[in-house]
C-alpha cells in the first residue's frame, strides 16, 4: 500500500539535544511538508520541499532543519535552538502540478522534551 | 495579516441531525479550499476540495459551499453519526505563490447517540 511512514511515533528528548524525525513516502509525490501541531491548535508549516535538493521555510522554521536528498525522504531535525519543541509533528506529501495540493499525511510523531 | 478562522468551540449535536461547520478567511483570494478530518493522535485525512468557481460540492453525506464574496466556506454533514465525531480542519492555498496549505485551527464535532 502507498503511504507515508513517520518514525518514531513517540520520542523523548533532553534539553540541549538535537533529534531527527524520519518521513518516508512511496506515493511518488514530488512535494513534501512538515507541520507542527500544538494541543487544541491547527497545523503550522515548518518547512516544505517541491523538488529534490530544494526546500523553503514555512512560518515557524527557526530551530528546525531539513534535507531533501531523495524524492522519498524528507527528515526533520529539531535542534537545541528550538525553545519549545514539545509538540505533535506531521509530515505530508502531495503531487505537484495538480494545482490543488491535496495532502496525504503520515500518522505523526509526538516529541516530548524532558 | 492573512487569517483563517474556525469556531474553536466544540460543536455538539444529536445523531441524525445536520452538523454545519464554518471556515472564514481574510485577505486571501484562494483558488481552492479544502476540508480535512482529524481523529485524536492521528494525521488529518482529506475529505473534499472546492474550487473558487464552484458554489457547492457534495460527497455522500458531506456538502461544502464556498462563497468568495463572504470569504466563507460551510461544511455540512447530514444524518450525522457518532462515528463522525472528530476535528474538522479547513485549509487554503494562499495566493502569494507559496505552494503549501495554510490550515485553520479546526472545530471539534461531537455527535451524541
Amino acid at each position: 500500500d502507498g503511504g507515508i511512514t513517520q518514525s518514531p511515533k513517540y520520542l523523548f528528548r533532553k534539553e540541549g539535544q538535537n533529534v531527527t524525525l524520519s518521513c518516508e513516502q512511496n506515493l511518488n509525490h514530488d512535494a513534501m511538508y512538515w507541520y507542527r501541531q500544538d494541543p487544541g491548535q491547527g497545523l503550522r508549516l515548518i518547512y516544505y520541499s517541491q523538488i529534490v535538493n530544494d526546500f523553503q521555510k514555512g512560518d515557524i522554521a527557526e530551530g528546525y532543519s531539513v534535507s531533501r536528498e531523495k524524492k522519498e525522504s524528507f527528515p526533520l531535525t529539531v535542534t537545541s535552538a528550538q525553545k519549545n519543541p514539545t509538540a505533535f509533528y506531521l509530515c505530508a506529501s502531495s503531487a505537484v502540478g495538480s494545482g490543488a495540493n491535496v495532502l496525504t499525511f503520515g500518522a505523526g510523531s509526538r516529541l516530548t522534551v524532558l | 495579516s492573512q487569517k483563517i478562522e474556525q469556531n474553536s468551540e466544540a460543536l455538539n449535536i444529536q445523531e441524525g441531525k445536520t452538523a454545519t461547520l464554518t471556515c472564514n478567511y481574510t485577505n486571501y483570494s484562494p483558488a481552492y479550499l479544502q476540508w480535512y478530518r482529524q481523529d485524536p493522535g492521528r494525521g488529518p485525512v482529506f475529505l473534499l476540495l472546492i474550487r473558487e468557481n464552484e458554489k457547492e460540492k457534495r460527497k455522500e453525506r458531506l456538502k461544502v459551499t464556498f462563497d468568495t464574496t463572504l470569504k466563507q466556506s460551510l461544511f455540512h454533514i447530514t444524518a450525522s453519526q457518532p462515528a463522525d465525531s472528530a476535528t474538522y480542519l479547513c485549509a487554503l492555498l494562499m495566493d502569494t505563490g507559496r505552494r503549501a496549505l495554510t490550515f485553520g485551527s479546526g472545530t471539534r464535532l461531537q455527535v451524541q447517540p
Side-chain angles (χ1 to χ4, degrees):
Chain A
D1 286 337
I4 298 183
T5 302
Q6 289 188 241
S7 63
K9 189 165 179 63
Y10 298 97
L11 184 61
F12 298 89
R13 187 193 98 172
K14 293 182 180 178
E15 288 200 25
Q17 286 183 335
N18 292 354
V19 294
T20 297
L21 308 180
S22 169
C23 179
E24 302 278 332
Q25 56 100 357
N26 60 3
L27 298 166
N28 200 34
H29 284 166
D30 287 302
M32 297 187 74
Y33 311 81
W34 276 104
Y35 287 89
R36 168 181 171 143
Q37 187 173 36
D38 293 283
Q41 298 193 30
L43 282 63
R44 291 185 291 167
L45 182 68
I46 305 173
Y47 270 99
Y48 67 105
S49 167
Q50 296 284 295
I51 196 169
V52 174
N53 292 322
D54 189 40
F55 47 82
Q56 286 76 42
K57 292 182 179 180
D59 298 315
I60 54 166
E62 185 176 350
Y64 299 97
S65 66
V66 292
S67 62
R68 187 86 188 278
E69 296 176 2
K70 298 187 301 181
K71 185 175 182 177
E72 302 79 18
S73 179
F74 192 39
L76 173 74
T77 297
V78 185
T79 75
S80 56
Q82 170 50 236
K83 297 305 178 192
N84 185 21
T86 295
F88 189 48
Y89 291 88
L90 288 158
C91 179
S93 69
S94 71
V96 172
S98 67
N101 273 59
V102 172
L103 299 184
T104 300
F105 282 89
S109 292
R110 188 169 299 280
L111 172 63
T112 302
V113 173
L114 302 174
Chain B
S1 65
Q2 296 164 317
K3 285 177 63 176
I4 303 173
E5 292 183 342
Q6 294 184 255
N7 192 341
S8 58
E9 299 276 332
L11 178 62
N12 291 288
I13 63 169
Q14 285 296 120
E15 183 175 7
K17 301 292 186 185
T18 296
T20 299
L21 286 69
T22 303
C23 176
N24 294 297
Y25 60 94
T26 59
N27 300 329
Y28 286 112
S29 295
Y32 305 91
L33 187 146
Q34 302 181 26
W35 284 89
Y36 289 77
R37 169 184 172 141
Q38 186 177 25
D39 291 288
R42 314 218 24 200
V45 175
F46 170 74
L47 295 174
L48 276 170
L49 174 151
I50 189 165
R51 293 175 169 77
E52 61 178 339
N53 59 353
E54 295 176 317
K55 292 277 191 248
E56 182 179 297
K57 198 79 167 282
R58 291 176 185 263
K59 179 183 174 182
E60 298 173 351
R61 295 184 296 111
L62 308 180
K63 184 178 85 170
V64 173
T65 62
F66 193 12
D67 188 326
T68 55
T69 301
L70 291 178
K71 294 188 183 293
Q72 181 182 79
S73 174
L74 299 179
F75 177 79
H76 306 273
I77 305 175
T78 58
S80 59
Q81 304 166 0
D84 295 326
S85 299
T87 295
Y88 292 86
L89 302 159
C90 71
L92 302 175
L93 199 60
M94 297 167 65
D95 57 353
T96 59
R98 185 171 83 170
R99 300 299 302 176
L101 291 177
T102 300
F103 283 82
S105 57
T107 297
R108 189 163 63 87
L109 172 66
Q110 189 70 38
V111 181
Q112 307 291 343

